[in-house]
Amino acid sequence: MNIGYATRLVCLIIAAGACGVTARLSAQTTESNLNKRFTVKPGGNLVIEADRGGIEITTGETSEVKIEVKRKITGVSKEKAEEALAAHQVTFDQDGDRVEVHAQFQKSFVQNLSKAAQKMQVRYEVLVPSRFNLDLRTAAGEIIATDIEGTVKARTAGGSLKFAEIKGPFDGNTSAGSINLQGATGVVTVRTAGGSISLGRLDSETTAETSAGSISVKLAKAKLNAVTHGGGIELGEVDGPARVETSAGSITVKTAKTELSAITHGGKIEAGDLGGAAELTTSAGSIKVTSAHGPLVAKTSGGGIEIEQAGDTVTAHTSAGSIAAGFTGKPHGDCRLTTSGGGITVHLADNVGFDLDARTSGGRVITELPVTITVVGEHKGGALKGKVNGGGNVLELKTTAGDILLKK
């Protein structure tokens, strides 16, 4: 055999063997699971404080807390993995009906920047009674829980929060992840620095805030405060007073039975049925309201305003767009509709009377309704002042560029 050929063949065999060793090493997984059980009574407390790993809580008709800690390391030698597992200290403590779990690496081990420590995956799977209080904290991982009755606190620095129905208060915070809560009977406070927030039925006061994500609420029975710095806001039924604000996104509201304040700095606002006083403001977008039974203030710097049915006082202003409003009930005060760049159209029911003051600098005032002129000489092409349907509160209509139209 040629010596050069033989040498190359040996090298290829050695290289192949080395690759095989590397592949086996990268695929090697070392596991070390921990299991604990504690006898407790319903209404107790579970505390988990972990340096990493997801937490999953399930509930049932049980008189114990059952904890399984699943740990595994992939991609390092068995020796290195076992060294890391030994340095990862998990402690379990019980004091009456209070159970605590604490987990962290020894400081000296972390300071060595162990590759095995970086590759460790941990998960906490816990069964608790259906009535129990939770205080859950992890530095990296999601937190999940099924229906539970009690006070719930959840903190994670890197994961989502997913909770079913909670009979009690909920305090949830994540630095990077979404928050999903199906419902809570107690006070709710949720915050995330990087994700969306989705909330179901809320029976008590609620505060929701995200730095980058959308917010949706299905049903809020009490006071609601929702703020996002980078997403839209969607509300279903809101029975209590609500204040919502977004720096960049649209706002939609299906039903608001009491006071509503909606502010967006970069999107449109759409509202269905408004039962109380409402103030809608956007810096760049249109405003549309299906029905407003209470006083309404609608302001936009860049879009049209449409109010299909208004049963009370209306103040509407846009810097660039048209305004359309239909009055189906007598307002309790004067109304003012103004625009700097569009036309104004007003529909009046037969039982709604106004003292009309309509003026346009760049169009005409056109009416399909009889107007009783109160001042001789006031009826001009661009101005009309008088009583409509017998008169009433003042209806001021002003535009600098567009027609004003009164219709039945």
Side-chain angles (χ1 to χ4, degrees):
M1 180 183 291
N2 182 278
I3 295 176
Y5 174 77
T7 302
R8 290 194 298 273
L9 181 60
V10 171
C11 290
L12 288 172
I13 293 172
I14 294 173
C19 289
V21 171
T22 302
R24 288 195 299 273
L25 183 61
S26 62
Q28 183 174 350
T29 299
T30 303
E31 297 185 7
S32 176
N33 297 336
L34 305 173
N35 294 276
K36 292 288 183 179
R37 302 169 85 112
F38 302 93
T39 301
V40 296
K41 295 178 182 178
N45 296 273
L46 171 66
V47 177
I48 297 180
E49 187 173 10
D51 63 339
R52 68 192 61 208
I55 301 173
E56 183 174 357
I57 306 293
T58 56
T59 60
E61 297 304 316
T62 180
S63 59
E64 65 177 5
V65 172
K66 182 181 177 182
I67 304 170
E68 184 174 10
V69 183
K70 296 182 176 180
R71 302 182 300 173
K72 67 178 181 179
I73 302 175
T74 302
V76 299
S77 68
K78 186 175 181 62
E79 179 183 359
K80 291 293 185 182
E82 290 179 345
E83 181 183 351
L85 289 166
H88 187 241
Q89 298 178 332
V90 182
T91 61
F92 304 87
D93 297 291
Q94 182 178 18
D95 183 5
D97 296 318
R98 181 183 180 88
V99 176
E100 295 193 12
V101 182
H102 298 272
Q104 64 178 357
F105 271 107
Q106 296 174 350
K107 290 184 179 180
S108 59
F109 194 82
V110 175
Q111 290 171 352
N112 292 333
L113 299 175
S114 167
K115 181 181 179 181
Q118 297 172 8
K119 287 181 171 291
M120 177 181 286
Q121 299 178 42
V122 186
R123 188 166 186 83
Y124 300 83
E125 297 181 359
V126 186
L127 172 68
V128 301
S130 298
R131 185 165 62 87
F132 223 67
N133 302 301
L134 305 177
D135 187 351
L136 312 173
R137 285 164 280 175
T138 177
E142 67 177 2
I143 302 178
I144 303 174
T146 56
D147 292 354
I148 193 165
E149 180 180 352
T151 298
V152 178
K153 296 180 180 179
R155 299 280 189 278
T156 176
S160 298
L161 303 179
K162 301 176 183 178
F163 284 79
E165 297 282 345
I166 298 175
K167 291 184 179 179
F170 177 67
D171 186 347
N173 192 307
T174 174
S175 299
S178 61
I179 298 177
N180 189 299
L181 172 65
Q182 291 183 14
T185 60
V187 174
V188 171
T189 303
V190 289
R191 291 185 174 87
T192 173
S196 61
I197 297 175
S198 178
L199 306 175
R201 180 187 172 104
L202 307 169
D203 289 343
S204 298
E205 182 174 346
T206 297
T207 300
E209 184 175 354
T210 173
S211 298
S214 61
I215 298 177
S216 66
V217 177
K218 186 176 181 179
L219 171 60
K221 303 291 289 184
K223 185 178 180 180
L224 173 66
N225 183 37
V227 179
T228 172
H229 302 286
I233 297 177
E234 183 177 352
L235 306 182
E237 181 180 330
V238 183
D239 292 349
R243 182 186 182 278
V244 296
E245 182 174 359
T246 173
S247 299
S250 298
I251 297 175
T252 61
V253 182
K254 185 177 180 180
T255 304
K257 293 185 178 180
T258 58
E259 296 87 357
L260 171 67
S261 173
I263 302 170
T264 173
H265 302 284
K268 65 181 179 179
I269 299 177
E270 293 186 0
D273 188 58
L274 302 178
E279 185 169 352
L280 314 178
T281 305
T282 173
S283 299
S286 60
I287 298 176
K288 182 177 180 179
V289 178
T290 301
S291 59
H293 304 283
L296 173 64
V297 177
K299 297 179 180 179
T300 174
S301 299
I305 298 175
E306 181 181 356
I307 305 162
E308 293 184 10
Q309 299 178 28
D312 207 333
T313 306
V314 174
T315 300
H317 175 76
T318 174
S319 299
S322 61
I323 298 177
F327 288 89
T328 57
K330 280 188 176 183
H332 293 91
D334 296 340
C335 297
R336 190 168 188 264
L337 313 181
T338 61
T339 174
S340 301
I344 300 175
T345 302
V346 175
H347 292 260
L348 296 181
D350 293 338
N351 63 331
V352 180
F354 280 109
D355 284 357
L356 177 67
D357 184 1
R359 300 175 185 274
T360 173
S361 303
R364 298 181 303 160
V365 178
I366 305 169
T367 178
E368 297 178 357
L369 302 173
V371 178
T372 303
I373 307 300
T374 55
V375 180
V376 177
E378 277 293 320
H379 190 190
K380 302 175 183 178
L384 179 60
K385 193 170 184 179
K387 294 184 180 293
V388 183
N389 291 337
N393 291 305
V394 174
L395 174 61
E396 182 180 356
L397 309 176
K398 288 188 177 181
T399 176
T400 56
D403 292 337
I404 297 176
L405 177 61
L406 270 67
K407 305 182 70 173
K408 292 183 179 180

